Amino acid sequence: MSSRESAVVGETAPESFVTKVKTALRQGSAFLVVGGIGFVVDAGTYNLLVFAGGEGPLFHQPLLAKIIAILVATVVTYFGNKWWTFSHKKGGSAAREYLFYALFNVIAIGLQLACLGFSRYVLHLSTPLADNISGTLIGQMVAVAFRYWAYDKFVFTGAREDDGGNGSGPTGSNPLPSPGN
């Protein structure tokens, strides 16, 4: 065996651009599905707390209601992201993962609350439509973009399970199993 052949045997081929794009689209799509479920949980919880029966139990405390709604949605999306979106990455230290997940969600909650607070207290808009546009729709969009970046870069950082721990990942394989797998 020549030195060139022996060098090639131990190396993995770099992922092609097309493979990287497909992987990013699969992962991004899974993240958006999980986020969509979180959006429904967030909006539903908020509207029940603030507007159930006309004036819900937290009608006069919309920011507290939003915090509760986001926390409920966060639990749902954590498990969706861990078990589906980022399931192709090995889990690192559970304590580290939970700590960073919580930290970045607190920042994301701040982003959502800033959108709702601006609408309520600067623009003086307090209708269900205004709250849902500012706190749920706009706030969620800003928070989702931030969360995706933060989760991928800082929370779910382990090497892929099928790459031998070298971080190179599979070439041409689907890194995202379906939720049932």
Side-chain angles (χ1 to χ4, degrees):
M1 183 182 309
S2 72
S3 61
R4 181 175 170 4
E5 290 172 302
S6 62
V8 172
V9 170
E11 294 178 12
T12 58
E15 289 182 289
S16 71
F17 175 74
V18 172
T19 301
K20 288 179 182 181
V21 169
K22 285 180 182 179
T23 300
L25 287 174
R26 283 187 203 108
Q27 185 172 316
S29 296
F31 186 79
L32 289 175
V33 168
V34 170
I37 293 167
F39 177 85
V40 170
V41 171
D42 180 351
T45 302
Y46 179 81
N47 283 296
L48 283 173
L49 292 172
V50 177
F51 300 113
E55 287 190 12
L58 294 177
F59 181 78
H60 296 290
Q61 295 178 301
L63 297 184
L64 176 60
K66 194 61 174 174
I67 290 169
I68 293 168
I70 293 169
L71 290 174
V72 172
T74 295
V75 171
V76 171
T77 58
Y78 172 78
F79 289 107
N81 283 316
K82 180 170 181 65
W83 295 336
W84 188 27
T85 307
F86 299 102
S87 66
H88 61 288
K89 294 184 176 185
K90 285 183 181 176
S93 160
R96 181 202 155 282
E97 192 175 86
Y98 297 144
L99 177 68
F100 277 120
Y101 190 86
L103 172 69
F104 290 119
N105 273 290
V106 166
I107 295 169
I109 288 169
L111 294 170
Q112 282 188 270
L113 291 177
C115 293
L116 177 61
F118 181 80
S119 174
R120 273 280 179 130
Y121 303 118
V122 174
L123 301 178
H124 303 288
L125 302 172
S126 60
T127 66
L129 181 61
D131 279 4
N132 281 291
I133 289 173
S134 63
T136 305
L137 184 64
I138 295 171
Q140 190 79 281
M141 288 169 32
V142 170
V144 162
F146 171 76
R147 283 181 173 120
Y148 182 79
W149 170 79
Y151 294 170
D152 191 46
K153 295 295 180 197
F154 303 106
V155 178
F156 302 109
T157 60
R160 292 181 179 157
E161 292 177 358
D162 55 353
D163 71 357
N166 66 9
S168 64
T171 302
S173 66
N174 181 358
L176 297 176
S178 65
N181 290 349

